[in-house]
Amino acid sequence: MGFARTCSVALVGVEGVVVEVQAGLEPGVAAFTLVGLPDKSLTESKDRVRAAVVNSGGEWPQKKLTVGLSPASVPKGGSGFDLAIACAVLGAAERIDPRVLADIVMIGELGLDGRVRPVRGVLPAVLAAADAGYEQVVVPECAAVEAALVPGVSVLGVRSLRQLVAVLTDEPVPEEDPDEQGRPDPLLAGLRMPGTGAATGIHGVGAAHLDLGHDLADVVGQLSARTAVEVAAAGGHHLFLEGPPGAGKTMLAERLPAVLPRLGQDESLEVTAVHSVAGLLPAGKPLVDAAPYCAPHHSATMQALVGGGQGIARPGAVSLAHRGVLFLDEAPEFSSQALDALRQPLEAGHVVIARSAGVVRFPARFLMVLAANPCPCGRFSQRDTLCECPPARIRRYQARLSGPLLDRVDLRVEVEPVTRAELTVRGARGESSRAVADRVHAARERSATRLTGTPWRTNSEVPGRELRSHWQAVPGAMEEAERGLERGVLSARGLDRVLRVAWTVADLSGHDRPDAGDVALALQLRTGVPRGVPMMIGASA
């Protein structure tokens, strides 16, 4: 009996499980049996693999063939096992030395002509292989740069099955015919998968929002909102912008990623792994090194926001915005079920989705920005009577954002309409994104130094008990906030969040500890109630 084995990776969310692909040949009627909990797309690999082997010049064994995927208790799906199955079959047929295949992890889909096509999730698959101790990985040629991001792993990129067989058997590697000039490479189609949310407004644009076309200097006026954006970026605090249409809420949210610091190496790998699983990595840029920005439409379902779908769950907007910005424009128009589903990832930094096919965990440490009109017509204000909405309708509209959700938002700012004088004045522009980003970077450096040796990176991640016990404000600075807790203006969670924002304000101002002025500004940003402190910080004061 001929036997050979090699390895591949099954993805469960953004985590991988190394799967041993075993092939056994025995005398009997020619048949191909695939076992090990394969799904429909994996079951169809029998026909793809057979055609690929034959069209690559190999001979298909005319014996009873059994291919097993171990561990058999793990559900397996997708077409990324094709390459491993083909090589295991050729190893069992003694076309390839089985000893060569045993310690190699293979990931890739096979076309009927033997070409190796890319699949989603190459980076997390290679990370799983490296964690399991494997040092050699074979991937499609166009995904080799993505796989090479994992240190300590030797990556071989192949364009066809013929090339891989030649490499494994020490034969001359054949040259593949080049594609026609001026036409896109058809193999790159697998790097961006349809149906993953890109067409519904859920996408990560990354560095696209760092260009000069999205500069904070374009925002006219809005000193309070600009200060809130700076504080949100420095401490990773969630932000709620409320104001009439055309006041600049969307402009502010779109310019927030340009103020955030660049992602570190570990953060880039986390974000890239999620986008790789979702099939949203842009061709030619395998590493996402800038904060992603996701702005789903208000018609998005709960599954589109937090993840889900049929079969194995896919990442939603909260995961695509990991280490970046999730912008919910027209927030009251979202369904209440979808909005309330955000509570758990806002606190935990991850989302757990339970399905019949298994439990999936996706990272979801994002900065949420909510934008809303004050009423359905958008003209409600305490200073004029332009709004014609009945009071009951206004209350129903504002009640669509539940109290528990808003309690998790650190900063609430009313965006005022831009006046004619502000809009028509010449030469008076606000600070640029670069100037604000420098202060944000300096504040992040201060908080990182203070949090050295802890699992937290920003002020918004520090638990309240740690803040109260290890990083307290100046004695007496929190008295006004504590009185707000007694009067019911703040909840216990709200009091902790005021202290977190106060630490961010102190970092931006260069203070060693939050003083009464820092806490007062944090309270003003938290409650939206003016407290007589200027809405300016540090160098912008």
Side-chain angles (χ1 to χ4, degrees):
M1 174 179 175
F3 177 81
R5 62 183 178 89
T6 187
C7 295
S8 189
V9 178
L11 288 178
V12 183
V14 292
E15 299 175 355
V17 178
V18 176
V19 174
E20 188 176 86
V21 180
Q22 306 168 347
L25 288 174
E26 54 184 312
V29 179
F32 189 170
T33 304
L34 181 63
V35 296
L37 283 185
D39 70 350
K40 180 65 174 177
S41 61
L42 183 51
T43 303
E44 293 175 348
S45 67
K46 296 188 293 185
D47 299 320
R48 290 195 301 270
V49 169
R50 182 187 291 109
V53 170
V54 174
N55 291 330
S56 298
E59 294 185 4
W60 189 257
Q62 298 301 314
K63 295 182 180 181
K64 183 179 179 181
L65 170 63
T66 302
V67 173
L69 307 176
S70 179
S73 58
V74 177
K76 305 165 190 70
S79 55
F81 293 87
D82 290 1
L83 197 59
I85 293 175
C87 289
V89 171
L90 293 176
E94 298 183 352
R95 175 67 177 86
I96 304 175
D97 188 350
R99 294 172 297 180
V100 176
L101 301 173
D103 296 325
I104 301 178
V105 175
M106 302 184 182
I107 305 162
E109 174 187 334
L110 285 176
L112 299 185
D113 56 355
R115 291 183 299 174
V116 182
R117 305 183 64 92
V119 294
R120 294 181 294 133
V122 169
L123 177 60
V126 177
L127 284 171
D131 291 340
Y134 290 88
E135 299 178 353
Q136 292 181 305
V137 177
V138 177
V139 298
E141 183 183 60
C142 49
V145 178
E146 177 184 347
L149 296 174
V150 181
V153 176
S154 176
V155 177
L156 172 63
V158 295
R159 195 172 181 85
S160 68
L161 180 61
R162 291 192 308 146
Q163 289 184 339
L164 178 57
V165 172
V167 170
L168 296 177
T169 56
D170 292 329
E171 298 176 0
V173 179
E175 294 290 337
E176 296 294 338
D177 296 332
D179 296 314
E180 295 184 19
Q181 297 294 328
R183 297 182 61 184
D185 189 345
L187 295 182
L188 297 178
L191 292 177
R192 290 186 65 86
M193 300 294 292
T196 55
T200 58
I202 302 174
H203 52 278
V205 298
H209 277 257
L210 296 177
D211 58 8
L212 297 179
H214 293 84
D215 198 308
L216 270 175
D218 300 331
V219 180
V220 177
Q222 308 300 356
L223 177 61
S224 299
R226 291 172 60 96
T227 300
V229 167
E230 183 175 343
V231 174
H237 305 288
H238 306 304
L239 174 62
F240 178 34
L241 301 173
E242 184 178 23
K249 302 186 294 295
T250 302
M251 289 183 65
L252 288 164
E254 288 178 343
R255 283 148 181 78
L256 181 54
V259 181
L260 292 174
R262 307 288 290 193
L263 300 179
Q265 182 65 25
D266 294 339
E267 295 173 332
S268 295
L269 290 178
E270 290 178 5
V271 175
T272 303
V274 176
H275 285 237
S276 178
V277 169
L280 294 176
L281 280 182
K285 186 174 176 58
L287 183 66
V288 179
D289 57 357
Y293 174 86
C294 296
H297 191 260
H298 63 257
S299 62
T301 62
M302 182 180 68
Q303 289 77 12
L305 284 181
V306 301
Q310 297 181 349
I312 298 179
R314 291 178 175 177
V318 297
S319 298
L320 296 179
H322 181 59
R323 301 296 178 188
V325 177
L326 175 66
F327 177 45
L328 302 183
D329 198 6
E330 305 294 344
E333 302 297 337
F334 283 80
S335 69
S336 59
Q337 184 184 25
L339 289 175
D340 289 338
L342 298 176
R343 299 183 196 175
Q344 186 259 347
L346 284 174
E347 288 290 330
H350 62 267
V351 58
V352 178
I353 304 170
R355 293 290 186 270
S356 59
V359 178
V360 177
R361 183 181 184 273
F362 291 115
R365 180 72 65 181
F366 57 92
L367 194 163
M368 182 180 68
V369 180
L370 300 175
N373 297 323
C375 67
C377 75
R379 296 179 293 179
F380 175 73
S381 174
Q382 296 179 352
R383 287 177 293 276
D384 53 50
T385 58
L386 295 175
C387 176
E388 298 179 355
C389 300
R393 189 180 180 193
I394 296 176
R395 286 195 299 270
R396 286 196 303 269
Y397 181 80
Q398 295 178 347
R400 294 179 182 177
L401 297 178
S402 66
L405 176 64
L406 292 180
D407 196 43
R408 290 167 167 82
V409 177
D410 301 338
L411 313 174
R412 305 178 191 178
V413 178
E414 183 176 351
V415 182
E416 301 289 346
V418 180
T419 64
R420 177 183 177 182
E422 291 175 330
L423 196 60
T424 57
V425 66
R426 295 184 178 180
R429 299 186 67 193
E431 286 185 298
S432 65
S433 295
R434 184 178 297 275
V436 177
D438 291 340
R439 288 201 301 273
V440 169
H441 178 74
R444 289 261 183 141
E445 290 290 333
R446 293 189 186 98
S447 62
T449 302
R450 184 173 61 253
L451 299 175
T452 300
T454 69
W456 311 297
R457 307 182 184 184
T458 60
N459 292 325
S460 63
E461 300 176 16
V462 183
R465 64 180 184 277
E466 298 293 336
L467 283 174
R468 293 189 297 271
S469 58
H470 296 92
W471 295 290
Q472 299 177 353
V474 172
M478 291 291 292
E479 288 183 1
E480 185 65 25
E482 292 168 355
R483 283 197 293 268
L485 177 64
E486 294 177 352
R487 295 194 302 265
V489 177
L490 293 175
S491 64
R493 179 192 290 119
L495 184 64
D496 289 340
R497 290 182 178 273
V498 167
L499 183 54
R500 292 173 183 171
V501 175
W503 267 108
T504 301
V505 174
D507 289 334
L508 285 168
S509 303
H511 299 162
D512 293 334
R513 299 170 66 186
D515 55 21
D518 299 330
V519 176
L521 181 54
L523 269 173
Q524 185 167 313
L525 290 171
R526 168 74 183 180
T527 62
V529 178
R531 296 180 180 272
V533 294
M535 290 294 288
M536 293 181 290
I537 300 176
S540 57

